[in-house]
RNA sequence: GGUCUCGUAGCUCAGCUGGAUAGAGCAACAGCCUUCUAAGCUGUGGGUCUUGGGUUCGAAUCCCAACGAGAUCACCA
């Protein structure tokens, strides 16, 4: 139909087209124009006939007419004057409009013509968004909490890209401090020269083992001191291991060659381990910063702040920021001995990043236990003159809890990232074998499929919940491949590809076929509608920083497709035009499913 | 105690810029494979949306209060 065939109209969302039409009707009938807020356009609920619903109550108020009468009048007008509206019905104050089938078919053609449908590509002039995520400590391996962080950060980066931003993914590695010295000291004392090579243990796990060892031995020493009658607080400070660790930190700061060498060696082990974990998870970074290289810059920034009168130096030479005017407390920035704190380092990192990139927006993916920290950081960066400081985004996500409660590394209730991924993949393999899905595959194909499925189950499980909320992860029950899960969506995709493969093998044409002569089913129309909602969904996910919106959309789409697939045959349809239409619909459903899952960092297998 | 989150089915979660009879999945039960992949589809049961007020034509959604859960208020990172 010509009225929607111009590319401009097609790109316009259905909602805005309807808005325009209703506004025109109102102008014609009542000589008024309706503002955005008054005109409520929404998807018609499943149990009513129609595609789009206009809520008449607000309008009725403004025009002092009954909602039903208004709806009837506007409905009549649209049906007569707008080719797009084929039917309407009025129920109470709701005007339900049915949109002509041709509009949906044209919409599908337009979608089909866009390989990157729903994704806004960035240009050289697009805003530059930097996303910091992961941010590990180099004294222990990554765990379930890090997995949520990494998945959210990576997905968020993809979503920002899809909304037309240039994105730099960055990682700030916390590679210095007393906690690192603890691992180093324990390794020195109890390690007997063990290396990842000599033990066959992954580097980050090896170092983590010595961090645990430190804690065990330290506790023993405290116990001994307490038995000697020393109060617990004092015992914690005076235990020989703690004193040695502190001495080691001093030597590190004084650039002691032997300590520095040990530090570098052990950090390299950890990085090699992290690399494996990151690769397995499918996340990566464009630029990595190390706190050992940023904290000195932070000190400089703070000193400059003192010189400018932004910060205050106290008689004991410690430096403070007075935030009482902002409704917060005073915040320490440098200790009296001149050493830096967490905040100092973040300021230094910010400075280095600003030097490296012309950042327009900075997003920190960090857990919600640090809300206060980022509130303060935002104010401090603003005071120091960083233009994005005031508007920095703290993407604050909730904790991952186990059914027994919080994870505690000291109590051994931490779910290790590597172990968890392995388990998911193993389970995926078992399930696939039980279902006989791998019978036709080479071992390499099987390994690839099983890896994609296992990771999808994990990633989707974590990403489908609202990032802000705390979530519960049950290691046993969360490994599910049915229902609202990643593998369900993958399966739908693999199914579609299978149909498309068969179509192509049979040389079935999907292009240039005759126009449809019969009415489409509700299922087919609603599937087009859902596919058509993808761009709006991507935009919404970008605005609200929420991968969960994408995940839930993908699930809805997969479910809708499966219903269609179940009710209608595609390849066996004898009407050529209808068959071509269904293939086109299938192809675009697959395309959008793939794009959506890509935004979540989930790979799709071509068969499973 | 101050500040900030959160409270929806037995469990895990959607819905929240106010709209029609509050939705999924899991678990339970009952159906559907000689037909394009049954990791699928269909159906049944399951709810005082924590409680009490307020705003309104209309509240799970907005406001206030109470109760409950969590986070934070470090010269730890």
């Amino acid at each position: 139909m010509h009225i929607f065939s111009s590319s401009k109209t097609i790109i316009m969302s259905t909602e805005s087209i309807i808005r325009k039409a209703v506004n025109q009707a109102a102008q014609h009938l009542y000589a008024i124009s309706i503002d955005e807020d008054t005109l409520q356009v929404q998807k018609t609920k499943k149990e009513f006939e129609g595609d789009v619903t206009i809520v008449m109550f607000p309008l009725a108020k403004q025009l002092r007419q009954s909602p039903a009468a208004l709806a009837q009048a506007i409905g009549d007008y649209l049906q007569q004057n707008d080719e797009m509206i084929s039917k309407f019905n009025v129920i109470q104050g709701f005007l339900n409009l049915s949109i002509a089938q041709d509009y949906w078919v044209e919409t599908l053609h337009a979608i089909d013509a866009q390989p990157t449908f729903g994704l806004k590509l960035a240009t050289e002039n697009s805003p530059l968004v930097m996303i910091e995520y992961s941010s590990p400590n180099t004294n222990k391996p990554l765990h379930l909490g890090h997995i949520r962080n990494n998945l959210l950060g990576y997905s968020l980066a993809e979503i920002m890209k899809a909304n037309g931003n240039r994105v730099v993914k960055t990682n700030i590695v916390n590679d210095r401090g007393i906690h690192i010295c603890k691992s180093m000291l324990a390794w020195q004392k109890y390690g007997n020269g063990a290396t990842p090579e000599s033990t066959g243990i992954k580097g980050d796990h090896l170092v983590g083992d010595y961090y645990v060892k430190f804690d065990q031995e330290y506790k023993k020493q405290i116990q001994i001191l307490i038995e000697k009658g020393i109060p617990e607080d004092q015992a914690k400070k005076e235990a020989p291991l703690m004193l040695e660790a502190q001495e080691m930190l001093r030597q590190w700061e004084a650039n002691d060659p032997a300590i520095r060498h040990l530090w570098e060696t052990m950090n390299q082990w950890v990085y090699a381990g992290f690399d494996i974990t990151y690769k397995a998870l499918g996340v990566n970074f464009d630029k990595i910063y190390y706190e050992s290289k940023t904290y000195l810059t932070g000190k400089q920034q703070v000193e400059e702040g003192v010189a400018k009168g932004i910060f205050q130096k106290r008689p004991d030479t410690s430096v403070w920021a007075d935030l009482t005017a902002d409704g917060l407390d005073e915040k320490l920035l440098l200790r009296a001995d001149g050493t830096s704190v967490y905040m100092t380092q973040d300021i230094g990192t910010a400075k280095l990043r600003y030097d490296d990139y012309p950042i327009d927006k900075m997003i920190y993916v960090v857990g919600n236990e640090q809300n206060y920290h980022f509130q303060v950081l935002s104010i401090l960066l603003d005071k120091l003159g960083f233009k994005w400081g005031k508007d920095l985004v703290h993407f604050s996500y909730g904790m991952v809890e186990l059914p027994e409660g919080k994870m505690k590394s000291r109590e051994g209730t931490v779910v290790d990232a590597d172990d968890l991924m392995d388990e998911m993949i193993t389970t995926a393999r078992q399930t696939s074998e039980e279902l006989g899905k791998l019978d036709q595959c080479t071992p390499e194909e099987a390994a690839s499929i099983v890896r994609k499925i296992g990771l999808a189950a994990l990633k989707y499980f974590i990403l489908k919940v609202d990032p802000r909320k705390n979530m519960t992860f049950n290691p046993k029950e969360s490994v599910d491949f049915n229902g609202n899960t990643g593998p369900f969506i993958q399966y739908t995709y693999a199914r579609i590809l299978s149909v498309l493969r068969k179509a192509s093998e049979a040389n079935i044409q999907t292009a240039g076929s005759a126009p449809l002569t019969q009415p489409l089913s509700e299922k087919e129309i609603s599937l087009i509608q859902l596919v058509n909602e993808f761009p709006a969904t991507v935009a919404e996910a970008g605005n609200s920083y929420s991968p969960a919106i994408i995940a839930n959309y993908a699930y809805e789409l997969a479910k809708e497709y499966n219903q269609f697939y179940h009710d209608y045959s595609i390849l066996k349809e004898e009407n050529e035009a209808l068959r071509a239409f269904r293939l086109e619909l299938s192809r675009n459903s697959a395309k959008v499913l793939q794009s959506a899952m890509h935004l979540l960092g989930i790979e799709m297998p071509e068969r499973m």
Side-chain angles (χ1 to χ4, degrees), chain A residues 293-313 319-321 333-334 338 340-341 343-355 377 380-388:
Chain A
K293 297 197 174 105
T294 67
Y295 78 106
L296 293 172
T297 307
K299 284 190 192 183
Q300 273 171 24
Q301 289 287 301
V302 171
E303 294 292 356
E304 282 174 29
V306 173
K308 287 180 194 160
I310 303 171
F311 305 136
Q312 294 78 43
K313 188 166 272 189
V319 175
W320 295 74
L333 298 178
L334 279 180
S340 63
V341 293
M343 191 59 77
T344 329
Q345 289 161 185
D346 261 355
I347 292 170
T349 310
K351 163 75 176 155
L352 289 176
R353 282 171 175 164
Y354 189 66
D355 290 347
L377 182 64
L380 294 181
L381 290 178
D382 186 55
K383 282 181 195 282
L384 286 167
F386 294 94
K387 68 170 179 178
W388 45 266

Side-chain angles (χ1 to χ4, degrees), chain A residues 128-135 149-150 152-161 165-172 284-287 289 353 359 361-366 393 395 545:
Chain A
L128 183 68
V129 179
M130 178 178 270
I131 300 182
E132 172 195 299
Y133 71 104
S134 201
S135 317
N149 180 302
N150 281 284
L152 285 172
Y154 182 85
S155 175
L156 194 58
E158 291 301 318
I159 290 169
M160 294 313 284
K161 279 186 207 167
N165 296 289
R166 289 180 296 153
V167 172
V168 176
K169 287 175 282 186
T170 179
N171 188 359
I172 174 75
N284 51 51
F285 307 94
D286 302 307
K287 174 83 181 174
Y289 291 91
R353 282 171 175 164
I359 302 170
K361 183 195 276 261
M362 180 75 214
I363 302 177
Y364 294 88
V365 180
V366 181
V393 177
F395 179 94
Y545 306 111

Side-chain angles (χ1 to χ4, degrees), chain A residues 9 55 71 94 97 104 110 201 218 226-227 298 308 325 444 475 491 497 521 542 570 593:
Chain A
T9 326
V55 185
F94 301 92
L97 300 170
W104 296 120
I201 298 173
Y218 174 50
I226 289 174
E227 279 162 19
K308 287 180 194 160
E444 292 76 24
Y491 175 72
L497 288 209
S521 66
I570 301 165
L593 282 177

Side-chain angles (χ1 to χ4, degrees), chain A residues 564-575:
Chain A
F564 157 73
Y565 178 93
H566 182 263
D567 292 350
Y568 301 94
S569 52
I570 301 165
L571 298 175
K572 296 207 165 61
E573 172 56 48
E574 288 176 4
N575 180 313

Side-chain angles (χ1 to χ4, degrees), chain A residues 343-414:
Chain A
M343 191 59 77
T344 329
Q345 289 161 185
D346 261 355
I347 292 170
T349 310
K351 163 75 176 155
L352 289 176
R353 282 171 175 164
Y354 189 66
D355 290 347
D356 290 344
Y357 298 94
I359 302 170
D360 295 300
K361 183 195 276 261
M362 180 75 214
I363 302 177
Y364 294 88
V365 180
V366 181
N368 62 11
E369 73 270 15
Q370 292 190 31
N371 287 351
Y372 182 73
H373 174 81
F374 281 97
Q375 209 183 336
V376 173
L377 182 64
S378 171
I379 295 169
L380 294 181
L381 290 178
D382 186 55
K383 282 181 195 282
L384 286 167
F386 294 94
K387 68 170 179 178
W388 45 266
K390 197 92 190 165
D391 300 318
L392 74 78
V393 177
H394 175 205
F395 179 94
S396 163
Y397 63 91
M399 328 231 90
V400 185
E401 285 164 5
L402 300 175
E404 313 78 71
K406 275 188 75 174
M407 284 191 292
K408 286 178 181 141
S409 41
R410 291 191 197 107
E411 290 169 25
T413 55
V414 189

Side-chain angles (χ1 to χ4, degrees), chain A residues 393-467:
Chain A
V393 177
H394 175 205
F395 179 94
S396 163
Y397 63 91
M399 328 231 90
V400 185
E401 285 164 5
L402 300 175
E404 313 78 71
K406 275 188 75 174
M407 284 191 292
K408 286 178 181 141
S409 41
R410 291 191 197 107
E411 290 169 25
T413 55
V414 189
V415 177
D416 178 77
D418 296 318
D419 291 349
L420 182 56
M421 283 189 279
D422 285 348
E423 267 174 52
M424 298 300 288
I425 292 166
T426 304
T427 311
R429 179 175 287 280
Q430 279 167 3
T431 308
S432 297
E433 278 168 359
E434 279 165 24
L435 292 170
K437 300 281 187 181
L438 303 175
D439 298 349
Q440 313 292 323
C441 295
T442 65
E444 292 76 24
E445 280 169 347
S448 161
I449 290 169
V450 149
R451 185 186 61 82
K452 285 176 183 169
I453 297 172
L455 281 172
L458 176 61
K459 292 183 179 187
Y460 185 85
F461 183 87
I462 288 177
L463 290 174
K464 76 174 175 184
V465 332
D466 185 337

